[in-house]
Amino acid sequence: MADKRTQIEEVATQAIKREGFRSMSFRTLADEVGVKSSSVHYHFPTKDDLAEAVIRSYTRAFSDALDGIDRRESSLVEKIDAFNELFADVVSHDDICLCGMMAAEVSSLNDSAKAALKGFFSTSEEWLKSVFQSHAEELKSPLSAEELARIFLAGLEGATLIDRVESGSDRLAAYRALTRALVA
Amino acid sequence: MADKRTQIEEVATQAIKREGFRSMSFRTLADEVGVKSSSVHYHFPTKDDLAEAVIRSYTRAFSDALDGIDRRESSLVEKIDAFNELFADVVSHDDICLCGMMAAEVSSLNDSAKAALKGFFSTSEEWLKSVFQSHAEELKSPLSAEELARIFLAGLEGATLIDRVESGSDRLAAYRALTRALVA
DNA sequence: GTCTATATACAGATAGAC
DNA sequence: GTCTATCTGTATATAGAC
C-alpha cells in the first residue's frame, strides 16, 4: 500500500474529479484514508498545498500516459484517438479531467496552484502540437498544428463537461469524427 | 430598478459565472442587493430553487441572444463568429458560461436543476445544428450538422475554461479559424 | 505521525415579530 | 417582504499530548 501522503493525494484527486475542489473537505479525505483531519494537515498544511500537489501529480501521470501513446501508436488518427480515449475513460467513471475542474474553480486557487494548472494545459497542448506537426503530411487542413492542438484540448475538456451531464459520449464521439475529417 | 427577486437572480448569476455555485452564499448575495439572507430565502426557499431559476433565466437570455444573431447575421461564418463572440464577452469579464460552471458542479445540483441544465445544452446545440443545416451548401466538411454543433458547443465551453486561466483568448481564436476552415 | 480537543468562521435554513 | 435571532452542521486550521 502506498504511503499515507500518496493515499491522501489519490483520494483527493478522485474527489476533485467528481465533486470539485471546493466540495472536497479534509474531514472526508481523512475518513476515506482512515485517519483524522489533523493528520491530513500534517501532510498538507493548507488546502492550497494539497491543490498544488494534486495538480502536479495529475500532470505527471497524464504526461506519462502521453508518452505511452507515443510508444504504442504510430498514425495520427491512432494517437489522437488514444488521447480522446483518456477523456472517455474519465467520463465513463462519471468524472471530468481534474484540471478542467480546477479551471472552473480557478478563483479558489492561489498563484502557485494556478501556475501548476497552466503547466497542465501547456504540456497537453505541446504534446498535441508535436503530434500534428510530425504528421503534417497526412493532414488535409489549412489549420496550423498549434491551432489544432488548441481546438482539440479545449474541445475534449468541454466535451467531457457536457457528456457527463448528458450521461453519454456524443461530444467525444463528434471529436473522433473531426479527427477523421482532418485526414480524409 | 428591477424587483428584488430579479436583482437576486442577477447577482447570483454573476457570482456563479465567476466563482461557482458552491462558492456563492446567500449571505453574500444578500449583502450585494442590500437585504438580509433570510429575505433571500423568502424569494428562493432553498439553494436548489435558486440554482434552477438562474439556469432557466440564463438559458432564456442566451436563447434571445441567438435569436438576435439570426436577425442580424446572414452568412454561416458571421453567425458562428457571433456565437463565438458571446463566449468571448464572458471570458473578457473573467467569467465562464454559467452553464459550463454548473456542468462542472453538477454533483451539487438536484434533478430539477440538472434537467434545466440539459435544456441549455440541447437548446444551444439545436441552434448550432440548424445554422449548419441551413448553410449546408457552403460547407466543405464531411461532418454532419449535428456533429458540428456538438464540436462547437463543447469546444467553446472548453475554450472559455482554458482561456480564462491563461488570461488570453487563443483557444476561442482557434475556433474562429476552424469556422473559416469549414467553408474554405 | 497521529491523536483529542478546540478556535473561529461560515454555510443553509427557519421561527416569529413587524 | 424584510427583519432579528438562532439552530445546526460543516469548513479550515492549530495546539499540544502521546
Side-chain angles (χ1 to χ4, degrees):
Chain A
M1 172 125 66
D3 65 0
K4 270 277 129 75
R5 188 191 152 94
T6 306
Q7 274 185 67
I8 292 166
E9 271 191 20
E10 283 167 358
V11 301
T13 300
Q14 184 51 48
I16 294 167
K17 283 161 70 180
R18 187 156 307 164
E19 324 249 5
F21 178 64
R22 289 213 50 133
S23 297
M24 178 211 75
S25 80
F26 276 47
R27 277 171 168 69
T28 305
L29 296 183
D31 288 347
E32 285 186 55
V33 302
V35 294
K36 294 296 173 180
S37 71
S38 51
S39 300
V40 179
H41 278 284
Y42 169 81
H43 295 286
F44 303 97
T46 70
K47 215 180 172 186
D48 285 334
D49 296 318
L50 179 55
E52 188 181 342
V54 158
I55 293 170
R56 291 198 190 281
S57 295
Y58 190 81
T59 303
R60 214 172 303 122
F62 196 80
S63 187
D64 289 346
L66 300 183
D67 289 343
I69 292 174
D70 280 331
R71 273 183 264 108
R72 283 196 314 277
E73 315 293 352
S74 51
S75 78
L76 176 81
V77 169
E78 284 169 341
K79 286 184 184 176
I80 303 300
D81 272 2
F83 186 80
N84 188 305
E85 183 71 15
L86 295 178
F87 289 82
D89 282 344
V90 174
V91 177
S92 74
H93 293 91
D94 224 52
D95 299 326
I96 63 171
C97 168
L98 178 122
C99 290
M101 183 66 85
M102 289 299 207
E105 301 183 282
V106 68
S107 70
S108 301
L109 302 181
N110 71 1
D111 287 346
S112 309
K114 213 178 301 184
L117 186 58
K118 289 184 189 183
F120 173 84
F121 292 123
S122 46
T123 296
S124 304
E125 281 183 355
E126 275 302 313
W127 183 84
L128 283 165
K129 183 180 165 186
S130 76
V131 169
F132 287 117
Q133 271 172 340
S134 59
H135 292 81
E137 73 287 351
E138 304 173 42
L139 280 172
K140 313 274 191 294
S141 169
L143 297 163
S144 70
E146 190 168 44
E147 285 170 332
L148 288 170
R150 287 174 175 154
I151 287 165
F152 271 81
L153 182 64
L156 298 192
E157 290 286 359
T160 56
L161 211 62
I162 304 176
D163 276 350
R164 182 174 71 146
V165 171
E166 299 281 352
S167 314
S169 59
D170 290 340
R171 286 138 212 96
L172 283 174
Y175 273 89
R176 287 198 297 279
L178 176 61
T179 306
R180 276 147 188 76
L182 291 176
V183 298
Chain B
M1 173 125 67
D3 65 2
K4 270 281 126 80
R5 189 191 152 95
T6 307
Q7 274 185 66
I8 293 166
E9 270 191 21
E10 283 167 357
V11 301
T13 300
Q14 183 52 48
I16 294 168
K17 283 161 69 180
R18 186 156 308 165
E19 323 249 5
F21 177 64
R22 292 223 32 146
S23 297
M24 178 211 74
S25 80
F26 275 48
R27 278 170 167 72
T28 305
L29 295 183
D31 287 347
E32 286 187 55
V33 302
V35 293
K36 294 297 173 180
S37 72
S38 51
S39 299
V40 178
H41 278 285
Y42 169 80
H43 295 286
F44 302 97
T46 71
K47 214 179 173 186
D48 285 334
D49 296 319
L50 178 56
E52 188 181 342
V54 158
I55 293 170
R56 291 198 191 281
S57 294
Y58 190 80
T59 303
R60 214 172 302 121
F62 196 79
S63 187
D64 289 347
L66 299 183
D67 289 344
I69 292 175
D70 279 332
R71 273 183 263 106
R72 283 196 313 278
E73 315 294 353
S74 52
S75 78
L76 176 81
V77 169
E78 284 169 342
K79 286 184 184 176
I80 304 300
D81 272 2
F83 186 81
N84 189 304
E85 182 71 15
L86 295 178
F87 288 82
D89 281 345
V90 174
V91 177
S92 74
H93 293 91
D94 225 51
D95 299 326
I96 63 172
C97 169
L98 178 123
C99 290
M101 183 66 85
M102 289 298 209
E105 301 183 283
V106 68
S107 70
S108 301
L109 301 181
N110 70 2
D111 287 345
S112 309
K114 213 178 301 184
L117 185 59
K118 289 183 189 181
F120 173 84
F121 293 124
S122 46
T123 297
S124 304
E125 281 182 355
E126 275 300 314
W127 182 85
L128 283 165
K129 183 180 164 186
S130 76
V131 169
F132 287 117
Q133 271 173 340
S134 59
H135 293 81
E137 73 286 351
E138 303 174 41
L139 280 172
K140 313 273 190 295
S141 168
L143 297 164
S144 71
E146 190 167 44
E147 284 169 332
L148 289 170
R150 286 173 176 155
I151 286 165
F152 271 81
L153 183 64
L156 298 192
E157 291 286 359
T160 56
L161 211 63
I162 304 176
D163 276 350
R164 181 173 73 146
V165 171
E166 300 280 351
S167 313
S169 60
D170 289 340
R171 285 138 211 95
L172 284 174
Y175 274 89
R176 286 197 298 278
L178 176 61
T179 306
R180 277 148 187 76
L182 291 176
V183 298

